[in-house]
Amino acid sequence: MLELKNVTYTVTDPKTNKMRRILDDVSLTIDDGFVAITGPNGSGKSTLAKVIAGIVTPDSGRIYLDGEDITDMNITERSRAGISFAFQQPVRFKGITVKDLISLAAGEKISVAEACKFLSEVGLCAKEYVNREVNESLSGGELKRIEIAMINARGTKFSVFDEPEAGIDLWSFNNLIKVFEKMHERTHGNILIISHQERILDIADKIVVIADGKVAAYGSKSEILPELLSAQASCRFASGGEE
């Protein structure tokens, strides 16, 4: 279980030199298996994910993981405590092969067959990727899938994904949904996904809506999703857009 209490984070706007509050007194308890966070662009979703992972330090408030105060832990310490984080734009590692990276994530030296299993689950032909370097030769979509395979190999109790669908084709996206479902079944932990995709929201146990740095809504999929879809449909109608 992850609990945020009165978390606030501000930055200085370089254009106006004024303080801008990105997260505004956010209190949230995540104790269900699969939770999706959604909301307008610029609402603070990705910042919230980074605060949970320890990449960004809040100005005030506390963060607890299974009752332990992790507010002052850095990203490495939180990783050891059981939090995994998948970046919206994955990092490249020159000189490291995909197999080595998955082994590092798993915390032990794994076999080629085991590495191939994780790669196959995210829609990559394992033989073509297992010995490749994680460098500029890989596309953004390939890196994204490799990073998801790493998180799957880690099997931590709390995994955070920031827009995992970005740069991924339709076939891989459908496969990605199955990966998250299997990961949830295997780890029995919490999976937190930042996403606008209805198909991801549709498999969540609960949905959090962030707007203007605040929790605008939080509830079960049956409570939140119909309202979101209705609001999106109204916006498209008002703007004259089509499905």
Side-chain angles (χ1 to χ4, degrees):
M1 180 178 75
L2 187 86
E3 186 177 11
L4 292 89
K5 290 186 176 181
N6 309 110
V7 170
T8 297
Y9 178 69
T10 57
V11 296
T12 301
D13 190 323
K15 294 182 180 179
T16 63
N17 205 34
K18 293 182 179 179
M19 299 298 289
R20 180 178 168 226
R21 185 163 288 188
I22 306 298
L23 297 176
D24 189 0
D25 196 34
V26 173
S27 292
L28 185 65
T29 299
I30 299 172
D31 58 359
D32 292 89
F34 200 135
V35 177
I37 295 183
T38 192
N41 291 331
S43 60
K45 303 184 302 299
S46 290
T47 300
L48 180 59
K50 291 175 182 177
V51 163
I52 292 171
I55 299 169
V56 170
T57 303
D59 301 320
S60 61
R62 309 305 296 177
I63 305 169
Y64 300 89
L65 179 65
D66 291 338
E68 179 183 7
D69 191 337
I70 64 170
T71 311
D72 299 323
M73 289 185 181
N74 59 34
I75 186 171
T76 301
E77 292 167 332
R78 294 194 196 189
S79 176
R80 290 171 181 159
I83 295 179
S84 293
F85 180 80
F87 290 88
Q88 190 173 7
Q89 296 181 338
V91 180
R92 299 174 189 271
F93 299 91
K94 292 182 180 180
I96 298 179
T97 67
V98 172
K99 177 181 176 295
D100 290 340
L101 201 59
I102 295 176
S103 289
L104 286 171
E108 60 183 0
K109 189 173 182 179
I110 63 175
S111 67
V112 171
E114 289 173 312
C116 288
K117 178 178 74 71
F118 289 118
L119 291 171
S120 297
E121 286 183 358
V122 295
L124 295 177
C125 180
K127 291 182 180 180
E128 294 181 10
Y129 288 91
V130 70
N131 291 316
R132 284 182 66 176
E133 284 192 15
V134 188
N135 56 24
E136 287 79 5
S137 68
L138 295 169
S139 70
E142 289 170 327
L143 281 171
K144 179 76 76 171
R145 282 180 275 177
I146 289 168
E147 186 177 49
I148 293 168
M150 288 171 54
I151 303 296
N152 197 12
R154 283 205 73 203
T156 49
K157 59 185 175 183
F158 199 97
S159 301
V160 183
F161 295 88
D162 191 359
E163 297 195 16
E165 71 275 8
I168 291 181
D169 58 81
L170 181 60
W171 183 89
S172 297
F173 180 82
N174 291 332
N175 203 45
L176 187 62
I177 298 295
K178 296 177 182 177
V179 171
F180 290 137
E181 291 175 332
K182 288 180 180 178
M183 188 185 303
H184 185 196
E185 291 174 4
R186 184 167 63 88
T187 64
H188 300 290
N190 296 109
I191 296 177
L192 181 66
I193 298 184
I194 312 294
S195 181
H196 295 285
Q197 286 286 341
E198 181 183 341
R199 282 170 290 182
I200 287 181
L201 300 180
D202 194 47
I203 63 172
D205 296 307
K206 287 194 175 181
I207 297 174
V208 182
V209 180
I210 301 291
D212 297 323
K214 296 177 179 289
V215 177
Y218 182 27
S220 66
K221 176 182 66 177
S222 61
E223 294 172 325
I224 304 297
L225 189 55
E227 293 184 15
L228 283 176
L229 297 179
S230 177
Q232 291 172 1
S234 297
C235 288
R236 286 195 294 269
F237 178 79
S239 63
E242 297 180 356
E243 296 272 357

